[in-house]
Amino acid sequence: MKFSSAISALTALVSVCSAAATTKAISASVTFDNNRRFLFDTDGRQIDAYGSKINNFNGKYYLYGNSFSETGVAYGIKSYSSSDLQNWQYEGLLFDPASKSSPCSGSGGCGRPHIVYNPNKKSYVLWANAGETGYVVATSSSPSGPFVFSAAKALIDPAFNGLQPADFTVEVIDGTGYIVFSALNFRSPNAGNVWPPIFQNLHVSKLTADFMNTTMVSYPVSSGAADLIDNEAESPDIFKQGNTFYVAASNTCGYCNGSIALLYRANSIQGPWTRQILEGYSCNGQVEGVLPLTNPSTGAVTNVWHSTSVPGGPRTGFGGHIFQPLTFNTDGSAKNLDCSTTATFPVTFTKGNGTAAAGNATKAGDATPALAVYNPVCDSDSFILYQTWTASKSGTIKSVSLNVARGSQTVPLTLTVFKLSSLNDLFTPEYKWTQLGTAAFNANQTTYTFDTVTVPVTTNATVSKGELLGLSISGADYSPWCHLEYQTTSGCGFKLYQQGNGQYSWRGLQGKNAPVYERQGKSVKFFATYA
Ligand SMILES: *[C@@H]1O[C@H](CO)[C@@H](O)[C@H](O)[C@H]1NC(C)=O
Ligand SMILES: *[C@@H]1O[C@H](CO)[C@@H](O)[C@H](O)[C@H]1NC(C)=O
Ligand SMILES: *[C@@H]1O[C@H](CO)[C@@H](O)[C@H](O)[C@H]1NC(C)=O
Ligand SMILES: *[C@@H]1O[C@H](CO)[C@@H](O)[C@H](O)[C@H]1NC(C)=O
Ligand SMILES: *[C@@H]1O[C@H](CO)[C@@H](O)[C@H](O)[C@H]1NC(C)=O
Ligand SMILES: CC(=O)N[C@H]1CO[C@H](CO)[C@@H](O)[C@@H]1O
C-alpha cells in the first residue's frame, strides 16, 4: 500500500479561512496497494501490531494489535496513533504484559484485542482473548492506556461452556455494542491428523449497555450450509452499511499466507446470513479488520478491508498489512477483492486532528524511503554487506539506525559507520576507511520484528554535503540475521555491496576481480540522524 497522503485542496481552503472554519472536518486521501506490506512508526521501527484493528477515537486514528517482537508470539498489545494514516506514532503498550495482574501470559495471549468507547462513562473498554471461559475486559480513560483489567471476565452464551472462546471482534453500531466470536472445539471426533485440527463457528451477541459484558444470548453467523467453511471461520469483524450487517472473516489459518476471505451479510443479527467468498487466498493474507473511512465532503463511508499478510508460521513478525476498500453491488453483496500487484486503491477520508507525528526516522537527515516496498532478506550467514549513500547535507552525523530482526543467533551483529572517498575504494585492496562509529548487538538486544539498532557516531562526525558514507553489516552465524531491502531507483545515492563471508582475495581468471560486488538495484532500510 502506498500511503501517499495527499491532503486535498480542501485543506488549503480551510487553512486560509477564519478560525471558525478550522473546526470543519479536513479531507485527506490515501492510496493503498497490495505490495507495500510493512508499516513503520515515526522512529523507523516496523509496526509491531498483528491482528490489527484501526479505530477513530476522538478524531484521531489508533492502530492496535498484538506485539510479536519480544517473544516471537503474541505478547501484550501495542498502539499507534495517526492523523493521516501514513505517519504512525508509537503510543506504547496498553498495559505491562509482564505484570502480575496481566492475564496475557496464559492461553489466548490477549489475542485479537478490540476497543470500544463508552461515552456515558467516558471510558475506553478493551476486550482480549484470554483462553477459556469468556474474555478479559479492561478500561482506561485514554485510548492508549494504561488499561486496568476487571477482576470479572465478560462471559459468553453458556451454550458454549466447554468450548474455548477464541478470535472475536467488539464494535459499537448505532449506539449498540456487538461481539462476534468463535468458540473452539478441540474435542471433535472429526478432527483430522493433517487438517482440520479444530472446529469453530462464529456467533454474534449484543453487549451490555456498559460494553463490559455480553448479553449471553447469541445467534450463529453461519450460512446454514454447516460445511467446513462455516465450521472453520475465525478472525471476524462486524460493520453495518445501510440496513445490512456484515461480518468479515477468514478460515482457520493463524496470520497465514492466504486463507478464504469470507463476508456474511444479514438484515438482522439473528440472520439468516448470506455467505460470500470474496477471494480464495485473501491476497496472501488473513483478514484482521474493516476500517470505515468517511469522506467529509460527501459523508460517504468506505469500508476498508485489511489483512495480516504473509508469511504465517513462526515468523508472524515478517508479516505486514494490506488494505483495500470493499465495493458493493446493488443487492448488498460485495465485489471480489482485487489481489493484482498493479492495483491501487485511493480513498478520501477525514483527516485526524493534531499534526502529523514526527520521530527519529521522519526527522532523519538521510534515510531510505519509509513508503517503499520492503522485503525481509536473511543472509548474514553468506554475506557481509556495505550500504553506501551520499550525505544529503553538511553537518554532524549523530547516529545510524538499521532495521534488523533476530532469529536464534549466537554471533553478534556488527555494524560500522564509515566514510570513503569513492565507491571504487570498496574494490581496492589495502583500502582503509575513516571510521565514524561501530557497535555490536547480541540477539537479546534485538527483536523478532524489524526494530532498529542504532550505531552512535563517536568520531569524524562532520560531513559535507555529497560526501560518501557507508554502513557495514556483518554477523556470520548458522542462523542468519535479517534486514529489509527495497528496489532502489538509480540516482538516489543509495548503493548496496556484498562480500561473500571468508572472501578476502582477488578472484577471476585474470586475478582482477574484487571479492566485493554490487547487489544491483537494492538498498537496505536504514536512516542517519544529524545533530
Ligand atoms: C479532535 O476532534 C474531535 C472531533 O472529531 C473533537 O471532539 C476533539 O476535541 C478534537 N481534539 C483536539 C485535540 O482537537
Ligand atoms: C458478566 O456477567 C456475568 C453474569 O452476570 C457475571 O458473572 C460476570 O461477572 C460479568 N462480567 C463482567 C466483566 O461484568
Ligand atoms: C504463499 O502463497 C503463495 C501464493 O498463494 C504461494 O505461492 C506460496 O507458496 C505460499 N507460501 C506458503 C509458505 O504457504
Ligand atoms: C531517538 O533518538 C534519540 C537521540 O539519538 C535516542 O536517545 C532515542 O533512543 C531514539 N528513540 C528511538 C525510539 O529510537
Ligand atoms: C545477552 O546475550 C549475551 C550474549 O549471548 C550475554 O552475554 C548476555 O548476558 C545477555 N544479556 C542478558 C541481559 O540476557
Ligand atoms: C580523517 C579523520 O578525520 N580521521 C580521524 C577519525 O577519528 C580518529 C579517532 O578520533 C582520528 O584518529 C582520525 O584522524
Side-chain angles (χ1 to χ4, degrees):
M1 136 205 52
K2 205 178 297 152
F3 266 127
S4 55
S5 180
I7 311 296
S8 81
L10 188 58
T11 316
L13 197 66
V14 167
S15 61
V16 297
C17 292
S18 66
T22 60
T23 54
K24 255 191 169 168
I26 297 173
S27 182
S29 75
V30 58
T31 299
F32 304 110
D33 67 45
N34 291 319
N35 305 317
R36 204 175 79 79
R37 302 186 294 111
F38 285 110
L39 309 180
F40 300 97
D41 70 16
T42 55
D43 286 313
R45 297 170 300 198
Q46 180 188 346
I47 287 190
D48 174 30
Y50 293 90
S52 298
K53 173 72 182 170
I54 300 173
N55 294 98
N56 186 316
F57 287 134
N58 201 25
K60 202 161 194 181
Y61 297 95
Y62 290 86
L63 187 156
Y64 299 96
N66 287 115
S67 167
F68 275 69
S69 63
E70 291 298 321
T71 61
V73 295
Y75 184 69
I77 303 162
K78 285 183 172 173
S79 81
Y80 299 83
S81 67
S82 181
S83 60
D84 59 4
L85 298 175
Q86 174 175 350
N87 290 286
W88 290 99
Q89 172 91 51
Y90 178 48
E91 299 284 358
L93 288 155
L94 297 186
F95 53 88
D96 177 4
S99 84
K100 282 203 178 70
S101 62
S102 159
C104 304
S105 48
S107 119
C110 284
R112 305 279 174 186
H114 283 79
I115 295 178
V116 284
Y117 180 64
N118 177 345
N120 300 326
K121 293 198 170 161
K122 296 194 169 33
S123 170
Y124 293 88
V125 184
L126 164 70
W127 288 60
N129 180 354
E132 282 192 19
T133 332
Y135 292 90
V136 289
V137 283
T139 55
S140 173
S141 58
S142 148
S144 297
F147 279 85
V148 177
F149 283 93
S150 159
K153 277 190 170 182
L155 298 184
I156 58 170
D157 188 334
F160 307 110
N161 285 351
L163 301 185
Q164 182 171 315
D167 286 4
F168 76 100
T169 181
V170 290
E171 189 57 88
V172 177
I173 297 171
D174 302 332
T176 302
Y178 296 90
I179 181 169
V180 181
F181 62 95
S182 72
L184 300 178
N185 182 352
F186 288 105
R187 288 188 293 272
S188 168
N190 298 331
N193 288 116
V194 183
W195 69 281
I198 40 171
F199 291 81
Q200 54 179 330
N201 292 86
L202 294 176
H203 310 278
V204 59
S205 291
K206 286 187 181 174
L207 302 184
T208 53
D210 62 1
F211 304 155
M212 294 284 286
N213 218 332
T214 84
T215 52
M216 299 207 266
V217 177
S218 76
Y219 307 96
V221 179
S222 173
S223 70
D227 58 8
L228 207 42
I229 293 178
D230 287 336
N231 293 338
E232 282 202 274
E234 65 175 27
S235 72
D237 203 0
I238 185 169
F239 62 99
K240 195 178 177 195
Q241 184 163 282
N243 293 319
T244 308
F245 287 93
Y246 291 88
V247 171
S250 88
N251 262 190
T252 304
C253 99
Y255 311 107
C256 74
N257 174 37
S259 110
I260 279 176
L262 289 175
L263 188 66
Y264 293 92
R265 69 179 190 278
N267 288 328
S268 153
I269 61 160
Q270 299 186 33
W273 295 89
T274 302
R275 181 179 81 193
Q276 282 185 272
I277 295 178
L278 297 186
E279 222 288 323
Y281 300 89
S282 299
C283 314
N284 296 347
Q286 177 182 35
V287 68
E288 54 184 11
V290 173
L291 165 64
L293 293 176
T294 305
N295 178 330
S297 316
T298 64
V301 174
T302 304
N303 284 294
V304 178
W305 175 283
H306 58 101
S307 308
T308 303
S309 170
V310 183
R315 278 291 198 184
T316 300
F318 281 15
H321 308 271
I322 50 168
F323 298 74
Q324 71 171 269
L326 289 172
T327 51
F328 292 87
N329 302 309
T330 47
D331 68 352
S333 62
K335 293 197 161 67
N336 284 359
L337 300 182
D338 179 353
C339 294
S340 66
T341 54
T342 52
T344 54
F345 310 105
V347 180
T348 300
F349 67 100
T350 307
K351 190 175 180 294
N353 51 19
T355 50
N360 286 355
T362 53
K363 290 186 285 197
D366 304 330
T368 51
L371 304 182
V373 175
Y374 285 97
N375 285 300
V377 177
C378 306
D379 64 356
S380 72
D381 53 339
S382 301
F383 297 104
I384 300 169
L385 299 180
Y386 304 93
Q387 175 66 53
T388 66
W389 74 99
T390 50
S392 60
K393 58 182 182 184
S394 298
T396 307
I397 302 260
K398 248 173 55 181
S399 66
V400 177
S401 298
L402 174 76
N403 291 82
V404 294
R406 64 170 290 186
S408 47
Q409 287 78 15
T410 53
V411 173
L413 179 75
T414 302
L415 304 180
T416 301
V417 183
F418 59 91
K419 279 184 197 178
L420 61 176
S421 50
S422 99
L423 292 172
N424 209 36
D425 292 342
L426 293 172
F427 315 129
T428 308
E430 299 170 25
Y431 169 71
K432 288 184 182 59
W433 60 40
T434 302
Q435 184 170 307
L436 277 65
T438 188
F441 303 90
N442 291 314
N444 59 18
Q445 294 168 282
T446 63
T447 77
Y448 293 99
T449 54
F450 288 99
D451 260 313
T452 53
V453 289
T454 299
V455 189
V457 165
T458 50
T459 180
N460 306 309
T462 310
V463 298
S464 26
K465 183 175 175 170
E467 203 168 357
L468 260 185
L469 300 168
L471 174 69
S472 78
I473 305 165
S474 128
D477 200 335
Y478 291 101
S479 167
W481 292 89
C482 303
H483 62 277
L484 294 170
E485 289 184 11
Y486 76 109
Q487 197 69 39
T488 312
T489 41
S490 60
C492 293
F494 297 114
K495 281 187 186 293
L496 181 61
Y497 296 87
Q498 62 186 38
Q499 175 179 19
N501 277 318
Q503 302 204 353
Y504 300 107
S505 47
W506 285 121
R507 310 163 80 203
L509 206 48
Q510 310 302 320
K512 290 267 165 66
N513 297 349
V516 178
Y517 45 98
E518 188 176 350
R519 188 170 284 186
Q520 298 280 347
K522 300 287 183 187
S523 284
V524 305
K525 185 170 187 300
F526 81 100
F527 65 87
T529 62
Y530 286 64

